[in-house]
Amino acid sequence: MKPATSPNPCSIRFHLIRLVIAAVAPVWLIASLLVYHAFLTKRDELNRSMLDTARSLTRVVDREIVSIEASLSTLSTSPSFAAGDLAAVHRQAQQVLKSYPSADILLADRYGQELLHTARPFGSTLPRRNNLDAVRLIFQTARPTVSGLYMGAVSQQSQVSVDVPVFVNGTVKYDLALTLRSEPMAEVLRQATLRPDWYGLILDSDQILVARTPNSERSIGSKIPAALGEAAREGTVESTNLEGAPVLATLCRSALSNWSVLIEVPKGAVLAALYRWTGWTILAALVVTGLVLALIFGYARKIAHAIQSLVEPALSLGRAEMVPAAGSFAVKETAEVAAALEQAYRLLQTRAAQRDQAERELLHTIADLEKQTRERLDALEKLSEKEQLLVQQGRQAAMGEMIGNIANQWRKPLNDLGQLIQQVPVTFTKGDLTKKYLDEVARKAGSLINQMSCTLDEFRNFFRTDKEKVKFRVNAEVQRTLLLLEGSFAKHRIGVEVQGGDDPYIYGYPAEFSQVLLNILMNAQEEFAKKTVPDPRVLITMGGENGRTVVTIADNAGGIPEEIMGKIFDPYFTTKEPKSGTGVGLFMSKTMVEKHMGGLLSVRNNDAGAEFSIEF
């Protein structure tokens, strides 16, 4: 019987061309989507870069203000104020200004009358301050304040001030202020090394321009357009700058001073770069597609010719005749098929012998598997015996860190206790030592000693051994573990955030659960220290998913390298120096979660770092 064929069959060349066209069309569609996605990604990249720069500059401005407040607060404690020796205060203020060469320090009473000004000799006749709002806030709130831009009464220049109260006999007696002109604030922007076409602006709480780079002095004191102020609420916005040119703007507001840092980028430069990148990408895709199509069409002709040459060898095999020896073929795979047809006859003859050989090998493999299974069972029995030993080793390995944490927890209470003791003779010298004062000192000292005792109890309870499973709340153990690490994390400036809509229960061993949390958090601390992360953070979330309790611990330390991801729970595997780790912490944690409490401990990398997940 002849095989059924269509009336007008198409050649293989025709089918290959159709296949190529069908394959290229979706590729171009996907490529177009990818180009569009890349366009959006680059735009978002710019937005993030602008926002990060604004936040960074805001932190720099805040640090400068905090430094000034600290210097003024130190000066405000001078005994010369209580003695009324303002000449001595004037000399001390000159010493402070050595750290702020372009600034001035002034002292005013509650009516704003300047009593001294470092820009004038002591005893000079001085005017009232132009910034009376700052003076009023100092005497009303008794707290430091940062002013907006105003005209100085002595300097007759635009300036801002940082004011702190001066207490005499427990009440606010003076307003002590350090004034800065716009040039030092502009220097902060210049040191940030912004991109050449970027503009940096510092604004006061009323959105008045304090400093700008470049052209720092041109628009000082101007109020920025209202649309630019919307950037504080909406992120990056399109608006016009002070010169009326279209820009993309991002604003970040300081929670400390209510000042803002604004980053402006000319819109034309941004869009031109994005469009230029997109155009070159599309042109490159067109060139590559043309070259690929030309190559594919050439190869299609060779493939069609090579396949046609296989007709005669296939007919010979169908007639049970010896297949002719393979000749020369332009396509390697076609030559291989021809050689395979040539060998097919001989392979059929030896097939039975190969099947018998395969059966013998299978029996041998089964025997090997049984042997390996027995060996693994023996190894598991030995591993079970050593499991408790590893748990104890892990606790002993953590004990050194705990001693350091006790020291960190005790450091502040000891410092506070020392200050209380030092204040007693000073108070006695002043003649203010009363029974009420001694009672208050005794009460505070007792509170600090009790706090230190509670810390010891917490660390001692951490190393207890649970005998029976109990039902306990997750948040209580999380908070207890964080309390143990509070001093160590504060020392390394590690921020911790705990999130959870509810507080689920877990049935298991609270001490072992705390040990697991401690191991993971201590590993995160060591990763932060090793990689010097600028803003280390740990996020702990808890809640329920599909009837299960899930606790996750995520950090922003950069994650775990993929090549060791599958080994971190192996016993004695560690990336630390031999003196710094034993490699049993995570192995012990996985054993306690999965074998002792029937849960699941896993890890993955997220966008910022590693994320451990504990499920029950």
Side-chain angles (χ1 to χ4, degrees):
M1 179 181 295
K2 293 183 178 181
T5 59
S6 59
N8 297 305
C10 298
S11 66
I12 189 170
R13 185 180 292 106
F14 177 76
H15 286 295
L16 287 174
I17 292 174
R18 288 204 306 180
L19 177 62
V20 169
I21 295 174
V24 168
V27 168
W28 257 100
L29 177 60
I30 294 174
S32 300
L33 294 175
L34 290 176
V35 168
Y36 179 69
H37 175 72
F39 176 85
L40 296 180
T41 300
K42 283 188 172 292
R43 188 180 65 184
D44 293 341
E45 228 174 65
L46 175 66
N47 293 342
R48 285 194 300 271
S49 177
M50 292 173 62
L51 183 58
D52 289 343
T53 303
R55 288 173 176 170
S56 176
L57 287 174
T58 301
R59 288 193 291 270
V60 172
V61 173
D62 284 349
R63 283 198 299 270
E64 187 71 16
I65 292 174
V66 168
S67 173
I68 293 173
E69 285 185 358
S71 299
L72 290 177
S73 296
T74 301
L75 179 60
S76 71
T77 61
S78 171
S80 302
F81 285 106
D85 188 359
L86 297 186
V89 173
H90 190 276
R91 292 192 298 271
Q92 293 164 5
Q94 294 287 359
Q95 294 297 319
V96 172
L97 288 180
K98 291 181 179 180
S99 300
Y100 307 96
S102 58
D104 294 315
I105 293 180
L106 59 89
L107 186 71
D109 61 15
R110 66 173 53 252
Y111 303 106
Q113 176 61 48
E114 296 187 12
L115 304 177
L116 65 84
H117 197 295
T118 56
R120 298 287 186 270
F122 181 75
S124 301
T125 302
L126 298 173
R128 293 181 68 190
R129 290 192 60 180
N130 284 343
N131 190 11
L132 295 179
D133 290 340
V135 178
R136 184 172 59 257
L137 282 175
I138 287 295
F139 282 90
Q140 287 179 352
T141 65
R143 296 177 60 185
T145 183
V146 181
S147 76
L149 193 68
Y150 69 96
M151 182 65 66
V154 173
S155 66
Q156 295 299 310
Q157 295 183 18
S158 297
Q159 62 186 26
V160 296
S161 67
V162 179
D163 297 62
V164 300
V166 178
F167 293 91
V168 176
N169 296 327
T171 61
V172 180
K173 180 69 174 179
Y174 303 110
D175 172 12
L176 181 64
L178 185 146
T179 62
L180 288 170
R181 287 174 282 281
S182 112
E183 182 57 28
M185 306 306 294
E187 184 63 23
V188 172
L189 297 176
R190 284 192 288 270
Q191 291 178 356
T193 61
L194 299 175
R195 298 181 187 179
D197 54 349
W198 286 25
Y199 290 80
L201 297 84
I202 297 179
L203 313 174
D204 66 12
S205 57
D206 296 323
Q207 305 292 296
I208 301 298
L209 183 62
V210 175
R212 183 187 188 192
T213 181
N215 302 325
S216 176
E217 297 295 335
R218 179 184 299 177
S219 304
I220 300 304
S222 301
K223 189 174 182 64
I224 65 169
L228 289 179
E230 296 295 321
R233 180 168 52 86
E234 301 178 3
T236 301
V237 298
E238 296 184 12
S239 182
T240 55
N241 60 14
L242 295 173
E243 289 78 17
V247 294
L248 298 179
T250 297
L251 185 144
C252 183
R253 188 180 299 276
S254 167
L256 174 66
S257 62
N258 207 28
W259 283 18
S260 305
V261 172
L262 181 67
I263 301 297
E264 296 178 349
V265 181
K267 182 179 178 182
V270 173
L271 295 181
L274 291 176
Y275 291 150
R276 185 167 55 253
W277 177 87
T278 303
W280 280 111
T281 302
I282 294 174
L283 178 61
L286 287 172
V287 172
V288 171
T289 301
L291 294 175
V292 169
L293 288 175
L295 289 173
I296 288 176
F297 288 152
Y299 284 128
R301 288 193 297 270
K302 291 184 179 181
I303 293 172
H305 176 73
I307 292 176
Q308 289 173 352
S309 65
L310 293 174
V311 173
E312 184 58 33
L315 292 176
S316 298
L317 182 62
R319 293 191 296 265
E321 298 175 356
M322 192 64 180
V323 177
S328 176
F329 293 91
V331 180
K332 177 182 176 183
E333 287 76 9
T334 306
E336 291 174 350
V337 172
L341 292 174
E342 182 181 347
Q343 297 174 4
Y345 181 74
R346 291 190 297 272
L347 292 175
L348 289 173
Q349 291 180 342
T350 58
R351 185 173 181 180
Q354 291 176 348
R355 183 176 61 249
D356 294 340
Q357 179 65 24
E359 289 177 355
R360 288 192 294 272
E361 291 177 355
L362 179 60
L363 292 174
H364 180 69
T365 301
I366 292 173
D368 288 344
L369 288 175
E370 290 176 350
K371 181 180 178 181
Q372 293 176 7
T373 301
R374 288 194 297 271
E375 292 175 351
R376 290 179 180 178
L377 288 175
D378 293 340
L380 287 174
E381 291 178 0
K382 294 179 181 179
L383 183 62
S384 178
E385 294 173 358
K386 295 179 180 179
E387 206 171 82
Q388 293 301 323
L389 179 60
L390 285 174
V391 171
Q392 186 62 27
Q393 288 177 350
R395 287 179 176 267
Q396 291 175 352
M399 189 173 297
E401 291 288 341
M402 289 297 99
I403 294 174
N405 289 336
I406 291 175
N408 286 329
Q409 292 283 64
W410 272 24
R411 183 171 288 110
K412 186 177 184 306
L414 283 175
N415 183 53
D416 294 344
L417 189 60
Q419 291 181 356
L420 278 176
I421 295 173
Q422 292 174 2
Q423 288 175 359
V424 172
V426 173
T427 305
F428 178 78
T429 302
K430 293 182 178 180
D432 295 335
L433 188 65
T434 63
K435 184 179 184 303
K436 180 179 179 182
Y437 175 79
L438 288 175
D439 290 341
E440 178 64 17
V441 170
R443 184 189 65 78
K444 291 182 179 179
S447 175
L448 291 172
I449 294 172
N450 183 61
Q451 178 183 348
M452 295 164 67
S453 176
C454 291
T455 300
L456 277 181
D457 290 339
E458 287 293 334
F459 281 92
R460 182 181 58 189
N461 292 335
F462 176 79
F463 286 99
R464 74 178 188 272
T465 301
D466 294 327
K467 301 298 184 182
E468 297 181 356
K469 287 186 176 181
V470 296
K471 190 175 183 181
F472 62 93
R473 286 192 177 274
V474 174
N475 188 55
E477 294 305 316
V478 170
Q479 296 300 329
R480 188 167 72 90
T481 306
L482 291 177
L483 181 60
L484 301 180
L485 291 171
E486 181 180 5
S488 179
F489 271 30
K491 177 180 177 182
H492 293 85
R493 299 182 179 179
I494 300 174
V496 180
E497 181 181 356
V498 180
Q499 294 182 354
D502 52 11
D503 187 4
Y505 282 95
I506 290 178
Y507 185 71
Y509 303 103
E512 292 192 358
F513 180 75
S514 295
Q515 178 70 31
V516 172
L517 293 176
L518 182 70
N519 289 339
I520 295 173
L521 291 172
M522 287 173 64
N523 282 346
Q525 174 182 308
E526 291 169 358
E527 285 299 307
F528 286 136
K530 182 167 63 176
K531 298 179 179 178
T532 61
V533 177
D535 184 20
R537 299 186 307 277
V538 174
L539 173 64
I540 302 176
T541 61
M542 61 191 81
E545 292 182 8
N546 300 324
R548 295 177 65 85
T549 297
V550 180
V551 181
T552 62
I553 305 99
D555 60 51
N556 63 339
I560 301 170
E562 293 298 332
E563 59 269 20
I564 67 169
M565 180 69 77
K567 302 178 183 179
I568 63 171
F569 292 114
D570 292 346
Y572 301 112
F573 175 79
T574 180
T575 59
K576 306 172 187 175
E577 295 293 334
K579 296 181 180 179
S580 301
T582 61
V584 301
L586 290 179
F587 170 76
M588 175 192 67
S589 299
K590 194 171 184 67
T591 298
M592 289 190 292
V593 171
E594 298 186 355
K595 292 189 177 181
H596 294 184
M597 293 190 284
L600 177 65
L601 175 61
S602 60
V603 65
R604 69 182 184 90
N605 285 331
N606 56 27
D607 293 339
E611 178 179 313
F612 287 83
S613 177
I614 308 173
E615 298 182 24
F616 293 96

